[in-house]
């Protein structure tokens, strides 16, 4: 087998976004495009030479081809050993689990997460560091810088590796170990949660649930854990076979895209519990009987009840949430007397806090919740956490959340997304807001008086690194907020996200319709940002 050095030239735009490099499949299929990015990883992450690398993806279109390229390049770049999930499958949290368990030097995750898959859709690649989490900005910037000057890559001339058979094969001097993608992850979940209590809940025959894997990566994980190990009825896992195009769907577990599951949780015969995860298994949506739990509330409820589970029975050290996530978790942290951190959007910002032991739980409004058990958000983990609480508290989802609101007050919350808007117009909209910020404090809009207005900047408390321009925050007296930022994960034009939150302490007002209750604030946001005038959009594309 011969190791070749191939001449190449840089591509524009290989800077990783919120979560790795995400582009259309067609972009990745251009000759040298994937190779350049992968070589930039090997050129900058020098500990991989002679080390062990984990490789896996969410099974979307181009996953298998990309893995073969990565294996050949890893061999040519001197990687000693690669652990790859059977069939090329590893959920994002499972990659993190395997990196940590086997103390590898890092991992490569192939996924565009919740974005659709297929030849005309999206693909993505992300590097995770030895702690198991997404590379911090210092690393992604170094990889990006290398892509701009790259002039060659290394690849071994060898046949494809059989990814479907467990066991070890050699590619040149490198060992490739095809591992069971589910086993290590399932074992970790058994350590954290009370499987006996959850099994008893299913055995009671009084509890009905479905988990929607959305034809994405969690199908095999959920089937093994929920049906095989916990005894949930066969068929509990819906859309459980991973497909390259997710069955034509949009594997994003929210009210808009998981509509079949949402329908099963509505009406007089609604299920007791519904949950869904996304393309690569790191997101989660939690539903009760005629009840939707916002991700922000979910983080707060898990934090307040963590002591009821075996994995967190001795309590939590601290909580972190991304800036646009509601402040519900802050109230729990205050009551528990633990630290609470506000970080920019992106799971990578939780890594240092988790590694330093400053936080145990963290979460984001974008359907992401997780803990120090891995360094990624974790969809099935959140579902098992909820199941553990339901089993122990013997109450419904609605009862648990309503009780939580009675104790802490309710942070009404909604996010309005304007997808695929003209990128220039979106940039101008944000620039215009930035100019307005200094004049806003003290101004009154309807019943709301602006308390502060800024462009969020974060100084990492562990390494002192600063991340500026992380989103516009307009905070009102009493704790209500409007937050606006542009998504860093879209692949078409720009996506404008408008996040809205208002705090209601009065329990008699806790059960209003969210959009109605928030209508005045929604209007203020639209007018302040001149959304329709600048983007031509009268309504958001997706409301969650
Ligand atoms: C990624 C990041 C999350 C982030 C989300 C949305 O999630 O890991 O931290 O909250 O994108 O980001 P944006 O608002 O920039 O689109 P995932 O599940 O896509 O990896």
């Amino acid at each position: 087998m011969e190791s070749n050095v191939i001449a190449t030239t840089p591509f524009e735009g290989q800077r990783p976004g919120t979560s790795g490099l995400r582009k259309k499949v067609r972009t990745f299929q251009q000759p040298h495009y994937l190779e350049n990015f992968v070589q930039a990883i090997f050129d900058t992450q020098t500990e991989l030479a002679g080390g062990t690398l984990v490789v896996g993806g969410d099974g979307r279109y181009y996953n298998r081809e990309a893995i073969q390229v990565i294996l050949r390049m890893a061999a040519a770049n001197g990687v000693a050993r690669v652990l790859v999930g059977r069939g090329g499958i590893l959920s994002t949290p499972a990659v993190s689990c395997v990196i940590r368990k086997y103390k590898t030097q890092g991992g490569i995750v192939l996924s565009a997460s919740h974005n659709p898959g297929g030849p005309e859709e999206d693909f993505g690649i992300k590097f995770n560091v030895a702690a198991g989490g997404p590379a911090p900005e210092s690393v992604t910037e170094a990889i990006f810088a290398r892509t701009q000057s790259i002039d060659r890559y290394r690849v071994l001339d060898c046949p494809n590796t059989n990814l479907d058979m467990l066991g070890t094969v050699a590619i040149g001097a490198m060992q490739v170990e095809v591992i069971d993608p589910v086993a290590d992850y399932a074992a970790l979940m058994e350590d954290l949660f009370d499987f006996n209590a959850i099994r008893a809940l299913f055995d009671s025959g009084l509890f009905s649930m479905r988990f929607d894997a959305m034809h994405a990566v969690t199908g095999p994980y959920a089937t093994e854990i929920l049906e095989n190990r916990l005894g949930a009825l066969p068929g509990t896992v819906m859309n459980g076979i991973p497909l390259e195009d997710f069955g034509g769907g949009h594997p994003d577990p929210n009210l808009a895209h998981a509509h079949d599951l949402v329908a099963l949780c509505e009406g007089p015969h609604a299920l007791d519990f519904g949950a869904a995860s996304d393309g690569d298994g790191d997101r989660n949506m939690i539903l009760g009987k005629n009840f939707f739990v916002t991700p922000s509330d979910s983080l707060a409820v898990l934090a307040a009840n963590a002591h009821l589970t075996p994995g967190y029975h001795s309590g939590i050290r601290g909580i972190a949430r991304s800036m646009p996530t509601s402040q519900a978790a802050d109230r729990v942290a205050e009551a528990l007397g633990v630290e609470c951190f506000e970080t920019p959007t992106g799971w990578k910002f939780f890594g240092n806090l988790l590694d330093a032991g400053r936080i145990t739980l963290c979460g984001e409004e974008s359907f992401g919740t997780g803990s120090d058990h891995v360094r990624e958000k974790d969809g099935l983990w959140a579902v098992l956490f909820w199941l553990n609480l339901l089993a122990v508290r013997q109450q419904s989802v609605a009862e648990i959340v309503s009780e939580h609101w009675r104790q802490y007050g309710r942070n009404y919350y909604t996010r309005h997304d304007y997808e695929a808007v003209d990128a220039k117009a979106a940039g101008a909209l944000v620039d215009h807001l930035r100019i307005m910020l200094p004049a806003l404090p003290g101004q009154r809009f309807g019943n709301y008086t602006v308390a502060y207005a800024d462009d969020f900047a974060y100084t990492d408390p562990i390494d002192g690194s600063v991340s500026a321009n992380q989103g516009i925050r307009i905070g009102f007296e009493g704790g209500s907020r409007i937050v606006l930022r542009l998504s860093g994960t879209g692949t078409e034009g720009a996506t404008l996200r408008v996040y809205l939150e208002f705090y209601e302490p009065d329990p008699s007002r806790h059960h209003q319709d969210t959009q109605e209750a928030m209508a005045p604030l929604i209007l203020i946001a639209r007018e302040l940002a001149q959304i329709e005038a600048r983007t031509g959009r009268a309504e958001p594309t997706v409301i969650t």
Side-chain angles (χ1 to χ4, degrees), residues 413-416 512-520 522 543-544:
Y413 189 81
T414 187
R415 184 176 104 183
H416 288 200
Q512 305 169 68
D513 174 79
T514 300
Q515 299 304 315
E516 276 172 29
M518 303 195 75
I522 293 169
I543 295 180
T544 48

Side-chain angles (χ1 to χ4, degrees), residues 18 22 113-114 283 347 364 366 377 485 487-489 497:
T18 309
R22 289 191 191 162
S113 187
H114 53 292
R283 296 185 173 205
W347 205 261
E364 296 188 281
S366 53
K377 55 186 182 276
R485 59 180 280 282
S487 158
T489 58
R497 302 204 195 284

Side-chain angles (χ1 to χ4, degrees), residues 17-20 22 92 111-115 126 134 252 278 280 282-283 322 324 344-350 364-368 376-377 415 417 485-490 495 497 499:
T18 309
S19 185
R22 289 191 191 162
T92 292
S111 170
S113 187
H114 53 292
N115 296 6
K126 182 174 86 159
D252 196 356
D278 69 330
D280 60 332
D282 56 2
R283 296 185 173 205
S322 68
T345 293
W347 205 261
K348 59 187 173 228
F349 292 104
F350 295 135
E364 296 188 281
E365 51 66 39
S366 53
F367 296 83
E376 288 279 2
K377 55 186 182 276
R415 184 176 104 183
D417 291 339
R485 59 180 280 282
L486 299 181
S487 158
T489 58
T495 294
R497 302 204 195 284
Y499 313 81

Side-chain angles (χ1 to χ4, degrees), residues 89-327:
I89 292 281
L90 274 175
S91 76
T92 292
V95 170
S96 189
C97 163
V98 172
I99 292 174
R100 291 171 68 76
K101 182 164 178 178
Y102 299 103
K103 301 192 170 29
T104 79
Q105 279 63 49
I108 293 180
V109 188
L110 301 161
S111 170
S113 187
H114 53 292
N115 296 6
E120 304 304 328
E121 299 294 353
D122 293 355
F123 191 73
I125 176 167
K126 182 174 86 159
F127 179 66
N128 278 27
V129 295
E137 273 185 351
S138 54
V139 173
T140 55
E141 283 301 303
I143 294 171
F144 171 58
R146 181 64 190 132
T147 66
Q148 291 182 301
S149 62
I150 197 152
D151 57 1
R152 55 97 188 95
Y153 62 84
R154 296 196 181 88
V155 62
L156 203 72
D157 192 7
C158 64
N160 278 350
T161 304
N162 181 352
L163 298 177
D164 296 310
M165 221 168 58
L166 295 179
T168 304
V169 291
I171 305 186
M174 184 178 86
Q175 300 291 309
V176 178
E177 207 177 311
V178 179
I179 61 169
D180 178 334
V182 178
D184 295 310
Y185 178 82
L188 179 58
M189 294 302 112
E190 289 212 46
D191 283 346
L192 295 176
F193 299 114
D194 187 344
F195 272 37
N196 287 334
I198 301 173
R199 204 175 292 115
L201 183 69
F202 285 127
D203 285 350
S204 71
L206 300 171
F207 177 76
S208 56
M209 94 162 261
R210 291 280 187 289
F211 174 85
D212 190 350
M214 305 189 86
H215 285 304
V217 79
T218 48
Y221 294 84
T223 305
E224 171 60 20
I225 295 172
L226 296 175
E227 297 185 9
N228 299 348
R229 299 196 185 192
L230 289 168
L233 289 175
T236 296
V237 178
M238 309 161 48
N239 303 320
I241 310 286
L243 299 175
E244 287 198 332
D245 66 349
F246 308 116
H250 199 128
D252 196 356
N254 61 33
L255 295 174
H257 295 304
H259 34 77
D260 293 350
L261 178 75
V262 172
L264 288 170
C265 294
E266 284 172 348
H269 305 295
L271 298 170
D272 295 306
F273 187 59
S277 190
D278 69 330
D280 60 332
D282 56 2
R283 296 185 173 205
N284 74 90
M285 178 172 69
I286 302 294
L287 300 167
K289 202 186 262 291
N290 296 304
F291 199 92
F292 165 63
V293 186
T294 68
S296 297
D297 277 345
S298 182
L299 173 64
V301 169
L302 298 187
N305 292 278
H307 60 283
L308 300 177
T309 66
Y312 308 94
H313 71 277
S314 51
I316 57 172
R317 289 205 202 93
I319 309 174
R321 62 163 173 83
S322 68
M323 183 271 282
T325 303
S326 99
Q327 299 157 99

Side-chain angles (χ1 to χ4, degrees), residues 2 44 108 265 374:
E2 208 182 324
T44 53
I108 293 180
C265 294
V374 290

